[in-house]
Every structure is written in C-alpha cells, then in structure tokens.
Amino acid sequence: MALKELIEIKFRLADGSDIGPNKYTPATTVGSLKEKIIAQWPKDKDSGPKTINDVKLINAGRILENNKTLGESRLPVAEVPGGVITMHVVVRPPMNEKARDKLQDDSLNKGGCACTIL
C-alpha cells in the first residue's frame, strides 16, 4: 500500500485537547476509529466514553456512521495532500438507569411498536 493512500486524522475533544494525529487507511471503519479513541482517551479526563455508542464523530458538519469506512464517508479534506483532518468527538454523558429506561421507552413509542390505542 502506498503511503499517500493513508489519511491523517486527529480527534478534537470538547476541552480543545487532541488525540493523535494518526494515519489510517480508507478501509478503516468509523466504529474502529471510535474504539481507538476509547483506548487512547486521556486517563486524567472525567466521564470518558465506555462504548462506541457513547461517541459521535463529526467531520465537516456530518455525524459519521459506525459501519461506514473512511473512504465511504467521503472526507472532503482528505483530498488535500499532506493535510490533517480534524474530527470532533462528542461524548454522550453517562445516564442513570431511569434515564436509560425512558430513552428506550421513547424510542419504542416513536417506532409505533409499543403504542397503546385508547
């Protein structure tokens, strides 16, 4: 694989600090990037993500999907030779059990699967 095929990415956290930059292939999935973020999360920061579902990656105003590759995500800045892409990391705050149950109930009601007819 040629070196020029690699995409250089750094991840910007909410406090302005960065993880990276590191180089990835276009075949790297967004889900695997999130796993790397969790593994490299600064130990001194509170409320780090626990799972990839706790993390949202944003690039050029778009939330990237876990199952998509970097190539499929069509990163606009990747076309600039030698450019480093900055992706913003948003972490879902930890939820207590009651809030988690309500979120699940709300999602069921929106889908129409568990609706009560009066």
Side-chain angles (χ1 to χ4, degrees):
M1 175 184 330
L3 187 60
K4 67 179 181 175
E5 292 179 17
L6 296 177
I7 302 168
E8 193 168 10
I9 302 172
K10 67 179 175 181
F11 303 101
R12 176 77 33 98
L13 307 180
D15 66 355
S17 63
D18 293 331
I19 295 175
N22 292 303
K23 294 182 180 182
Y24 303 95
T25 67
T28 304
T29 65
V30 172
S32 66
L33 289 179
K34 290 180 178 184
E35 289 171 353
K36 291 179 189 294
I37 290 169
I38 293 168
Q40 296 177 16
W41 193 264
K43 303 298 180 218
D44 61 336
K45 298 209 183 301
D46 292 335
S47 65
K50 304 292 185 233
T51 69
I52 64 171
N53 292 326
D54 294 340
V55 178
K56 291 199 183 306
L57 283 182
I58 302 172
N59 182 61
R62 291 184 15 228
I63 297 173
L64 304 180
E65 299 175 33
N66 289 346
N67 59 342
K68 300 272 181 153
T69 65
L70 292 177
E72 292 170 337
S73 297
R74 289 187 238 137
L75 305 176
V77 186
E79 297 172 3
V80 177
V84 177
I85 296 172
T86 300
M87 291 188 183
H88 293 269
V89 179
V90 177
V91 178
R92 178 183 300 176
M95 290 189 282
N96 61 28
E97 290 297 320
K98 186 176 180 180
R100 185 175 295 120
D101 291 343
K102 180 174 178 2
L103 182 64
Q104 288 175 346
D105 290 345
D106 288 349
S107 66
L108 284 175
N109 287 337
K110 286 181 183 175
C113 299
C115 295
T116 303
I117 299 174
L118 299 175

